[in-house]
Every structure is written in C-alpha cells, then in structure tokens.
Amino acid sequence: VAFYNLGGDPATSDRCPTSERCGTIAPGQGWSFFQQGLERLGRGYRGSAFLNIDQPFVALLAKDVIRGNDMEIGGDTLRLGGGSSTQYAPIVERTEAVGSRITVQNTSSTQDACFEITYYAAGSGVAMAVDPPGGSGRCPEGGMHVPSRGSWLRDYNDLPVPMGFEGSAVIRSKGKR
C-alpha cells in the first residue's frame, strides 16, 4: 500500500510483515492494513492510498465511529477499476444530523488534472452549486487543480450547499493540466 498526501507527494508505504504471512491469499480470505496504527502516517493524516496487487480483489474501507462511550464499526466496498472522467455521488447531505464527505482523487501518477463538482437538490435537474464556481490559474476553463496522485476534499464545513441540503453530486474531470 502506497500512501500519498493531499498534494500527491509520497507519505509512506505499508506491506505485509513477513513473506510467510502474505503469500497468495486464498479465496474467501483477506489481509488488513490498519491506517490508524501506522505511526509513519502521523495523527490526522489525510490523503490517499494506492494498492499494488497481482490478483483480483475487493477493497473494503472500514470505519470506526465513536458515539459517546460506544464504538461502532462500519465499512464500505470501494469501487474497483481505474478512474474515469465522471463519477456520481448519489447521496450528498448537509443537515443537522448528517454531513457528507467527498474525496476526489487524481489517479494519474504523471498528470495533474482539474475537477469540478456539480450539486443537485433531490428531485431537481437544475444545478444548485458548481464547485469551484469558475476558472482559476491552473484551471482556466473551470475546476479545482489536483496534482498527480493528489486529493481534493470537501466535507461538512466546506460543502458549497446550504444547511439542510439533501441531493447528489456529479464529479467531472475538466482535463489534464
């Protein structure tokens, strides 16, 4: 597993502790890499991870959630395959109870890119917000500049939609830079 910071620079890597424990993984079996215990990443690490493997796999992102004195464990299956120029976030919320997080990952190892997120309220085909709202120095035709292997994060605090928003988003690549 190769970890990169938000700017796309290498942060560290992790691998199986011994060759005996990480030979071929049998069907129905798995291997876990625990980000929270990887001290080389440092507390508060934000960035991306790339898996380098030699057999088909399914990735599961586990989430530990602390609610009061209780710890809940959840997980999401991650999309497989290479990146594409358009991705859909079918549920995006910014309410008192739920705050969505969107991470846009530039999967290229060599090319910078520009990305744009368009937000739609539930039941509406009209864009409520375009993020970022216009062109900028490295992305004159619109979009946020994201370096190769870099990440662009949007969360509860900086989603460009009003409190109470329930809807979706479309993430588009605006091209390489």
Side-chain angles (χ1 to χ4, degrees), residues 100-168:
S100 294
R101 240 184 333 216
I102 298 173
T103 302
V104 178
Q105 175 68 48
N106 182 352
T107 59
S108 173
S109 62
T110 59
Q111 295 288 319
D112 291 5
C114 299
F115 295 94
E116 180 179 86
I117 306 174
T118 307
Y119 299 87
Y120 298 90
S124 173
V126 178
M128 174 175 265
V130 176
D131 188 16
S136 63
R138 305 238 8 220
C139 300
E141 296 174 24
M144 173 65 74
H145 174 258
V146 180
S148 62
R149 299 220 183 209
S151 303
W152 174 31
L153 306 177
R154 282 292 185 235
D155 63 22
Y156 182 85
N157 294 313
D158 60 11
L159 282 174
V161 293
M163 180 59 74
F165 177 83
E166 294 179 329
S168 61

Side-chain angles (χ1 to χ4, degrees), residues 55 66 76 115 145 156 167 177:
Q55 65 187 51
I66 309 297
D76 294 316
F115 295 94
H145 174 258
Y156 182 85
R177 296 288 164 220

